[in-house]
Amino acid sequence: MDNHFPLNKLLLASAITVSLTACWDNSSNNSYNELEMELRLMETTDLHSNMKPYNYFASPKDNALSPQDYGLARTAVLIKEARAEALNSMLFDNGDLIQGSPMGDYVANLGVAYLERNVHPVYKAMNYLGYDVGNIGNHEFNYGLDYLAAATSGANFPYINANVYQFEGKQPTNNVAVDEETCAVDIDKHFAGNYAAFFDQFEPYFTPYEILERDFTATDGGTYTVKVGVIGFTPPNILNWDKRYLECKVMLADIKMTAEHYVPKMKAEGADIIVAIPHSGLSGGDRDEDFMDNASWQLAQVDGIDALMFGHDHNNFPTTSNTYDGMEGVDAPNGKIFGKPAVMPGFWGNHLGVIDLTLRSSDRGETWAVKSSSASLRSLKEDPYLQDEMVNYLVSSDHEGTMDFMAEEIGNIDEPINSYFSAVESDISVQIVNEAQYSQGLSWQDDGVLDSSITMLSVSAPFKGGRGGREDYTNIDGDALTRASVADLYVFDNNTPAVLELTVADLIEWMEVIVAQQYQTVAEEGDRLLHQQFRSYNFDVFFGGFDTDGESLLTYSIDVSQAPRYQVNEIGELVYDANGNLIQTNSRRISNIMYAGEALENDLTKKLYVVTNNYRASQSWMPGVANARIAHEDEVDSNRDLVNNYLNAKSDDLADPNDILEFPNAHNFTLVGPSGVTVEFLSSHLEAAESFANTYLPRVTPTQEFDNVADNEGFRVFTYTFD
C-alpha cells in the first residue's frame, strides 16, 4: 500500500459580477446536487465459534428442552430482519470468532491439514449470511498464525487488521535495538514522537483496511457509489497472551497511534465514511495511555472516524446499566462516544449491533458524508426455536463431530463439580486446576528445573463465573469426567504455564488487589457481598497442596468487613490517580496466611514459587506480580493440557478403572465478616445451583428473588451468613 499522500486538489476561482439571475441559478443548482441516503451497519462480535444455540456441557435432553440464548443460528434471524428493513446495509464481524467453544476446540484439534481441505464451520455460516468484512480479534491467534491463515482462507469476505506488523526476517534500521531474546522493539523508546518512521519501516502483517465501493440507493431512487472505509484493530497484549506463536514473528502497534496514521490515508484515498471495528473494549479504558487493550475510548477521539463497532469486553453498548457511568464523552444510553455512534453487541451472538447513518451528498453523489446517526442493539427473539435452519444445516456435520469429540471419558465421579459459589467457598472446580498446576510445579522441582528448596504454590480462578449470563458456570453434574469437563474447567485453551518467583510480601499484595475488586465492604444485614461485574477469571485462588494427613498446607482469610487496600469504583474496577497509579489505603483484608502450620506473614522476604498462566504472568502492572520474576515458562503444553494430563494420570492410578476419582476440598480460603450477619450475592438461576447450595453449603441459602448483572438478566439472589 502506498505511503504517499495524493496532491491536494487546486481550486481555481475568478471574480465575476453576480446578478440576481445568477444567484437564482446557483441556488437551483445546489438544490439539484443535494442528495441523501440511509445506510444500515450491522455487527456481530465475540461469537467464539458458537454457531448453534447448543450447550455442549449439558445433555442432549437438556438442550432439546431449552435451546441456548446465543448462537449465530439465532442471530441470523435478527440479521435477515434488519437487512430486510433497509435499502442499504452492510454486515461486519468484530473478531474472536474461531476459538472459545467446544466446536472451536474440535476443529482446532483437527489442525491446519483439515482446514486446507475443509471450510471452518464459522465461515460456512458467515459466507451464507453475506458478511462484508471481518476483523481479527485476540483469540484468532490462539492456535498460531498458520492455523489462522488456513481458517480465514475459507472466508468469502476480506479480513482487516491495522496494528499487527511483520517482524520475522525484518532488519530494523535507524539504530533501533532489537532484544535478542524476545525479538522485541521498544516502539515507545525508539519512535516516540515520530511514529511515522515506524510505519515507514515495518510492513503490516494483514491488510490494514479496506475501502469498499458499494452501490446504494438514495432517497431520490437513484443508485450511487459510496466508498466505505473499514479499519480494524486487535489488543496489543496478544504478544503476551500468545507468545509461543507470535514471538519473533509479529510486533504490535498502539491502536490509537495506528488509527492516526491510517485514517488520513483512507480519507486521502477517497473514503466517504470510515467505520472502525476494533476488537477493543471500553470498560476501564478512559485513560490516555499507550498500548491499551481497551482503547475504544481513545479511538473515538481520532478525527475522521465516523462510527465504531467494537467488542472484546463481552458487554452491551448502548446500555442503560451503570457499566460506563462517569466516563467522559460516553453517552451509553444513546450509544455515542464523543458524539460518534458506537455499538458493542454482547457476545456469542446474543445481540446484533445496528448503526443507522443518514448520508448526505452536495455534489450529486460524487462524495458522501454523515449527516446524522443512531445506534442500537437488537436482542434475540424470545422464542428460542426461532433459528436460521440453513445455519444449523451448514454446521451439522461439525456439530456431530464436536459432540463425539467431547464425550470421551476420563474417569468416574460421584459428586457434582461446579463454580456457582467459587467466590464465597473454596470449590473443586478451581482446585482441580490448581492441583494439576501444583503437581507440574513439583515435577519441575524434582527434575531440577526449579529450586527444590523454594515453597511451591499454585493459583487459578473460576473461568466460568457468569460472564456469559446466568447459565455460564462450570457445571459437571454427571457421573463421569469427559473431555468436555476439561474444557468446562479450563475455558482458555491458549494459556500456557508460567512459574513466578516472588516474596510473601508480593503474594499478599497480589491477594489484596484481587479481593479489593471481587468483594464489596459489608457491615449490615442485606448488604451485597460481591462486585458482580468483576470478571471471575480474575478471582485468583491460591493453593499449596496437602500434607501427609490430607490437610491443606496453605490457608488464608479474607475479611470483607474491612475496606479494600486498593480503591475501586462501584462496579469493582480499580481507581487510578492523576499520574496513572493505583490508589492505595492502609486497610487490609488478607490475614492468617498459614503454610504448614506457620504464619507466612512472619517472614515477608521468604521466597515462593507460584504456578500460573502466561496471561497472569504478563500483567506487570498488578501489585505483587509487578515484583515477580518469571522463573520458568513452558510453551509445549497449555494449562488445559496440564489439567487433562493430571486427570488422566489420576484415573490411570486407580486400582479399578470403575473406581471413583476423589477430590477432597482443601478449603484454602475462608470469608470473614460481621458475626451472624447475612449478606446477598448473585449466582445462577439453575436448579443445579439451588440444589448444590442446599446440599453442600450450610452458609449459603437460595432465595426466590432475581436480579441482573449489568445487561445480563435473571440471576438468582443467594444469601451468605457469616459465622
Side-chain angles (χ1 to χ4, degrees):
M1 191 167 290
D2 293 338
N3 288 322
H4 66 273
F5 289 86
L7 294 175
N8 293 328
K9 294 180 181 179
L10 300 179
L11 301 178
L12 301 179
S14 60
I16 59 172
T17 302
V18 181
S19 66
L20 289 175
T21 302
C23 287
W24 182 87
D25 287 340
N26 186 54
S27 175
S28 175
N29 189 54
N30 284 342
S31 177
Y32 172 78
N33 286 330
E34 291 284 344
L35 291 171
E36 288 189 1
M37 70 168 58
E38 305 297 324
L39 173 59
R40 170 162 289 174
L41 308 176
M42 298 175 288
E43 179 203 17
T44 56
T45 189
D46 294 277
L47 288 170
H48 286 286
S49 290
N50 287 289
M51 298 294 102
K52 288 175 65 70
Y54 193 90
N55 181 359
Y56 292 98
F57 305 113
S59 69
K61 179 181 177 181
D62 288 342
N63 274 283
L65 290 172
S66 179
Q68 300 300 297
D69 292 332
Y70 55 75
L72 187 60
R74 293 191 63 183
T75 326
V77 175
L78 304 181
I79 292 170
K80 289 185 173 181
E81 181 180 79
R83 186 179 272 155
E85 295 169 356
L87 276 175
N88 313 304
S89 64
M90 302 181 77
L91 177 61
F92 308 124
D93 183 72
N94 184 274
D96 274 13
L97 176 65
I98 62 174
Q99 180 276 348
S101 77
M103 183 179 284
D105 296 342
Y106 163 69
V107 180
N109 186 66
L110 296 173
V112 172
Y114 176 81
L115 291 175
E116 289 173 345
R117 305 185 306 272
N118 301 275
V119 175
H120 195 293
V122 300
Y123 296 117
K124 294 177 185 177
M126 296 172 77
N127 290 340
Y128 155 70
L129 290 171
Y131 277 75
D132 289 276
V133 173
N135 178 51
I136 295 173
N138 53 292
H139 283 289
E140 263 64 71
F141 298 93
N142 288 174
Y143 307 121
L145 293 166
D146 291 342
Y147 184 90
L148 172 56
T152 54
S153 68
N156 292 341
F157 50 88
Y159 258 92
I160 56 172
N161 180 278
N163 67 318
V164 180
Y165 284 79
Q166 298 179 31
F167 186 86
E168 192 170 28
K170 298 297 177 182
Q171 297 297 321
T173 58
N174 301 335
N175 298 316
V176 175
V178 179
D179 187 301
E180 293 183 1
E181 181 178 347
T182 65
C183 302
V185 174
D186 189 333
I187 297 176
D188 236 10
K189 176 180 178 182
H190 296 290
F191 294 101
N194 185 25
Y195 289 126
F198 167 80
F199 293 110
D200 287 342
Q201 187 169 326
F202 291 96
E203 294 290 327
Y205 193 91
F206 305 99
T207 301
Y209 58 84
E210 291 280 352
I211 298 179
L212 306 174
E213 296 190 12
R214 294 289 190 264
D215 291 335
F216 291 138
T217 302
T219 52
D220 71 343
T223 300
Y224 303 89
T225 299
V226 180
K227 296 179 180 179
V228 181
V230 191
I231 185 168
F233 308 88
T234 202
N237 241 326
I238 61 168
L239 279 180
N240 292 316
W241 301 336
D242 285 299
K243 178 181 177 181
R244 62 173 167 166
Y245 294 125
L246 302 182
E247 187 175 63
C248 302
K249 294 183 179 179
V250 301
M251 61 192 308
L252 273 291
D254 173 75
I255 290 176
K256 182 182 179 184
M257 124 181 147
T258 306
E260 289 173 337
H261 172 74
Y262 280 118
V263 168
K265 287 173 60 67
M266 296 169 72
K267 297 299 286 186
E269 290 173 18
D272 292 304
I273 64 171
I274 293 178
V275 182
I277 51 174
H279 195 79
S280 180
L282 185 62
S283 295
D286 56 341
R287 304 191 308 278
D288 197 12
E289 299 175 7
D290 292 336
F291 296 94
M292 294 188 69
D293 295 319
N294 290 327
S296 293
W297 186 80
Q298 290 83 3
L299 199 58
Q301 299 176 62
V302 175
D303 290 341
I305 292 177
D306 296 293
L308 287 96
M309 311 189 86
F310 61 110
H312 184 59
D313 264 353
H314 288 216
N315 286 336
N316 290 355
F317 194 90
T319 178
T320 55
S321 74
N322 64 346
T323 306
Y324 305 107
D325 286 359
M327 290 186 69
E328 179 192 353
V330 176
D331 180 0
N334 292 306
K336 296 291 178 72
I337 308 176
F338 292 101
K340 297 177 181 179
V343 290
M344 175 167 52
F347 54 91
W348 304 350
N350 65 354
H351 289 83
L352 178 70
V354 176
I355 291 178
D356 286 313
L357 302 176
T358 299
L359 306 183
R360 172 189 287 168
S361 173
S362 58
D363 52 15
R364 203 59 192 168
E366 289 296 317
T367 60
W368 297 85
V370 175
K371 175 186 175 184
S372 62
S373 64
S374 65
S376 62
L377 295 185
R378 297 195 176 192
S379 302
L380 297 179
K381 300 293 184 181
E382 289 187 10
D383 182 353
Y385 296 97
L386 280 176
Q387 303 172 23
D388 190 300
E389 291 307 321
M390 180 56 73
V391 170
N392 285 331
Y393 169 75
L394 289 170
V395 302
S396 58
S397 62
D398 306 281
H399 170 66
E400 295 296 328
T402 300
M403 290 196 295
D404 292 342
F405 177 70
M406 288 292 162
E408 181 183 323
E409 291 193 2
I410 296 172
N412 299 317
I413 57 174
D414 61 359
E415 291 185 1
I417 298 171
N418 58 63
S419 63
Y420 296 129
F421 307 104
S422 296
V424 299
E425 298 273 1
S426 299
D427 73 43
I428 302 304
S429 73
V430 178
Q431 184 178 307
I432 289 175
V433 175
N434 268 326
E435 286 186 29
Q437 294 178 171
Y438 178 76
S439 176
Q440 182 61 64
L442 294 181
S443 178
W444 283 325
Q445 286 184 311
D446 291 342
D447 294 341
V449 175
L450 294 170
D451 187 340
S452 60
S453 68
I454 296 179
T455 297
M456 179 66 65
L457 304 177
S458 175
V459 66
S460 190
F463 296 114
K464 293 175 69 176
R467 182 192 188 196
R470 61 187 184 175
E471 297 184 12
D472 183 35
Y473 293 83
T474 296
N475 180 26
I476 305 168
D477 205 16
D479 56 6
L481 292 177
T482 65
R483 189 189 290 270
S485 304
V486 176
D488 210 354
L489 292 166
Y490 208 110
V491 174
F492 303 108
D493 55 349
N494 62 312
N495 286 165
T496 53
V499 181
L500 295 177
E501 181 185 316
L502 68 170
T503 66
V504 171
D506 295 325
L507 174 68
I508 294 172
E509 291 307 310
W510 185 343
M511 290 177 166
E512 289 285 2
V513 76
I514 294 300
V515 300
Q517 297 169 87
Q518 177 66 93
Y519 300 103
Q520 300 194 55
T521 304
V522 299
E524 299 177 354
E525 198 82 6
D527 281 350
R528 282 293 172 95
L529 174 61
L530 305 179
H531 286 120
Q532 295 286 168
Q533 292 190 57
F534 178 61
R535 300 293 167 80
S536 69
Y537 57 72
N538 286 321
F539 177 58
D540 291 340
V541 177
F542 293 82
F543 173 79
F546 297 95
D547 63 19
T548 54
D549 295 324
E551 298 296 323
S552 181
L553 285 167
L554 177 72
T555 58
Y556 56 99
S557 297
I558 305 169
D559 189 346
V560 293
S561 69
Q562 301 299 311
R565 172 160 172 74
Y566 293 91
Q567 187 174 327
V568 296
N569 62 20
E570 63 180 10
I571 62 172
E573 292 178 339
L574 293 164
V575 177
Y576 295 78
D577 63 21
N579 297 317
N581 300 313
L582 291 174
I583 299 177
Q584 299 183 31
T585 70
N586 293 322
S587 182
R588 294 277 184 182
R589 286 178 167 175
I590 298 295
S591 62
N592 302 320
I593 311 175
M594 305 295 292
Y595 182 83
E598 297 184 4
L600 283 181
E601 294 105 315
N602 292 339
D603 184 2
L604 296 178
T605 63
K606 177 183 172 66
K607 289 184 178 180
L608 305 168
Y609 284 140
V610 178
V611 188
T612 182
N613 56 53
N614 61 318
Y615 169 78
R616 181 62 81 233
S618 70
Q619 293 184 297
S620 57
W621 64 269
M622 199 171 90
V625 177
N627 295 328
R629 178 183 74 87
I630 297 179
H632 182 63
E633 292 181 284
D634 183 356
E635 298 177 353
V636 176
D637 292 321
S638 69
N639 290 67
R640 186 192 283 183
D641 291 332
L642 294 188
V643 175
N644 186 71
N645 297 341
Y646 175 75
L647 291 175
N648 277 302
K650 193 175 178 73
S651 180
D652 291 342
D653 287 342
L654 294 175
D656 184 331
N658 294 317
D659 286 348
I660 300 299
L661 291 171
E662 295 183 355
F663 303 95
N665 196 319
H667 296 294
N668 35 324
F669 76 84
T670 302
L671 281 189
V672 177
S675 179
V677 168
T678 297
V679 294
E680 297 180 345
F681 68 97
L682 305 180
S683 187
S684 178
H685 75 300
L686 291 173
E687 182 180 339
E690 183 178 7
S691 174
F692 188 84
N694 287 332
T695 305
Y696 296 99
L697 305 176
R699 295 187 188 89
V700 177
T701 303
T703 76
Q704 297 308 307
E705 297 178 15
F706 299 87
D707 203 350
N708 303 334
V709 178
D711 294 298
N712 292 326
E713 301 177 343
F715 290 80
R716 186 185 297 277
V717 177
F718 289 82
T719 65
Y720 183 92
T721 302
F722 294 101
D723 289 341

